[in-house]
Amino acid sequence: MFKNKFSKKLVLVLSVALIIGLFTACGGKQQPSDNTSSGNSEPAEKAITGLINSGGSTSVEKAAKKALEEFTALNPGVTYEYDATGSSTGMKNAADGTYHIGFASRELKDSEKETGMTYKPIALDGVAVAVNPENGVNELTIEQIQAIYKGEITNWSEVGGEDSGIVVVSRENGSGTRGAFEEIVGFEDELVDGAIIKDGNGNIATYVAEEKNAIGYISFTTLNSNSDKVKGLDVSGAEPTVENVQKGSYKISRPFNMAYNEENLNEAEKAFAEFLFTDEGQNSLEDAGAIKVK
Amino acid sequence: MVSQEIIKKENKDVDNAILKENRKQTILDKLFHIVFLLCACMAVVAVFAITIFIFSKGLQPFIPGNEEGTYSFIKFITGLEWKPSQNIYGIGYMIIASIYATVGAIVIGVPIGILTAVFIAEIASPRIADIVRPMIELLAGIPSVLYGVFGFAVIVPFVRNYISPFQLGDSLLSVILILSIMILPTIISVSETAIRAVPKSYKEGAYGLGATKMEVIFRTILPAAKSGILAGVVLGIGRAIGETMAVILVAGNPESGIPRTIYDQVRLITNNIVLEQGYAEGLHEEMLFSTGVVLFLFIMIINIILNKIRSKVVEK
């Protein structure tokens, strides 16, 4: 009798707890620790305070936020905003003061340089052209890559390989890597119909590793971690290495540029602009997959 | 006398105890009633929340004056190109691909499923049935992404190397093969239950009239079990339409083109959402929600049609 009663009570208590748990789990959304984060770890030696108002390229976002997080962790009085709107908007807003620091994942256009902003590359980004290791082709020119992605070259024999059709693989629409690759290689909005679409660098690497006739493009970091499964092609005679990107001989690369008007910067923003070129700053950019500029 | 009084008192005590126990029981009952009600509400709330969310987000691009930009609904569902960078959002070719894939999976999966169910329920010896049945249950428990990995590693190379004339494995055919395997367990287990539920007397009667085993199965048992079998088929179709993770790995997901052969790459409605949700923003993101609305309607329409067919078949 006692045991029965006891177990009933137990069931009741547990089920009520479960229901309450369910409801609170649904209702009580934690505030997201969004773009605006304020570090609350150990205090810095010299207390810098203020808001870093930045924005621009979606491709730089990951690297920039990594550096911003690092910086705000070192300087608990600093908070930041990064508004990922795209390179062009980033440069426009940096020029007119909407952002104090703007980021672009490309070279600045002449019109943007003429606004008198200070601009510096904070990091580089390389995109490797990946093929299956069994593929006999080791090198392509930019023009050949462009023709392949436009669908003008459809057989590997046309570029010195075996006689088999080329399987063109691309990233999904909206991907920053895709945008940069299309822009640098020169086939914007002209991707061949029927190209295989894979989401994410890793999926492209896996696909190319499986499919003998595939050609894809992946970031350097993905190439390094998959170097046993896929082959990174030499592009116009330059191997896909960090050194060649830094030297400028590997062409499918782009700078991550920072641009600002000196007079707009507050104390925190000035310190952050300097921080990006310190070892710590460069390392945090590298952690996010970018290539150091020094 | 004294002993009688004691007995009376004891009775009273027992009565009180029962009364107390009863009162406790009613409180407990009421509490549990509330618990059950809350549980039931969760499901209802979830359905409404999801529907409202999807529709409120997904219909915005078709309402004039939307701040992210507007798009014609007709162009959206009839368009044959999905090129967000050029502001072209057409999912017509995906709808067609989804229909093809579902029909293909039914054509291959349903006959195999029903015949397997017949085999387990009527033909196989109990020993063999006891081996086959757990295998099918296991098949049902495999996560869909593992079907996808299997498809990617086995079916796609197989189609590429031995079947496709275009040296390409990512195709409608691979999608259909994967989906056919995935819907088997649902169809088999529901059909088997339906076949087993057919009264023994039907079978005995048919045998008594001199029918062969195959005649008994095809003329007596299957017609008697058709309602239950159709329920299994409906559930299987539901799974085929909604499947995403397995299909995305074998479909190829091109940005345009109605599949003309079963060797063509396809992008299904479900794939579109998952592929691009990560980077989409502005109108592009809203159009992905619109894709969700279409998927939602697509599944509702198919469910209504299937239920109509089912009730007609049952009436006969």
Side-chain angles (χ1 to χ4, degrees), chain A residues 12-23:
Chain A
L12 180 72
V13 168
L14 283 179
S15 41
V16 167
L18 180 72
I19 296 298
I20 290 168
L22 275 174
F23 274 100

Side-chain angles (χ1 to χ4, degrees), chain A residues 139-211:
Chain A
E139 187 193 338
L140 290 173
T141 64
I142 293 260
E143 291 73 30
Q144 284 171 327
I145 297 169
Q146 186 194 59
I148 288 172
Y149 271 89
K150 278 180 169 179
E152 292 160 7
I153 293 178
T154 55
N155 196 301
W156 281 112
S157 63
E158 292 172 65
V159 289
E162 282 174 44
D163 178 22
S164 48
I166 301 176
V167 177
V168 177
V169 188
S170 170
R171 286 287 302 279
E172 75 281 16
N173 220 303
S175 144
T177 312
R178 172 169 171 171
F181 188 75
E182 289 193 354
E183 190 182 320
I184 297 163
V185 177
F187 67 103
E188 277 170 284
D189 296 335
E190 289 180 274
L191 177 66
V192 58
D193 281 348
I196 302 278
I197 307 291
K198 294 277 163 187
D199 55 334
N201 280 305
N203 278 336
I204 295 216
T206 316
Y207 189 82
V208 171
E210 286 278 331
E211 168 61 66

Side-chain angles (χ1 to χ4, degrees), chain B residues 86-158:
Chain B
Q86 296 164 61
N87 251 325
I88 299 172
Y89 303 96
I91 63 162
Y93 74 101
M94 302 179 207
I95 297 176
I96 292 169
S98 282
I99 294 174
Y100 283 175
T102 310
V103 170
I106 295 168
V107 167
I108 297 181
V110 168
I112 295 178
I114 294 176
L115 295 184
T116 309
V118 171
F119 176 76
I120 296 173
E122 293 294 329
I123 299 171
S125 67
R127 271 246 311 277
I128 293 177
D130 282 346
I131 295 170
V132 177
R133 199 177 301 110
M135 293 294 157
I136 289 157
E137 276 158 17
L138 210 62
L139 201 61
I142 295 173
S144 61
V145 69
L146 292 185
Y147 279 94
V149 173
F150 169 77
F152 177 72
V154 178
I155 294 184
V156 167
F158 178 77

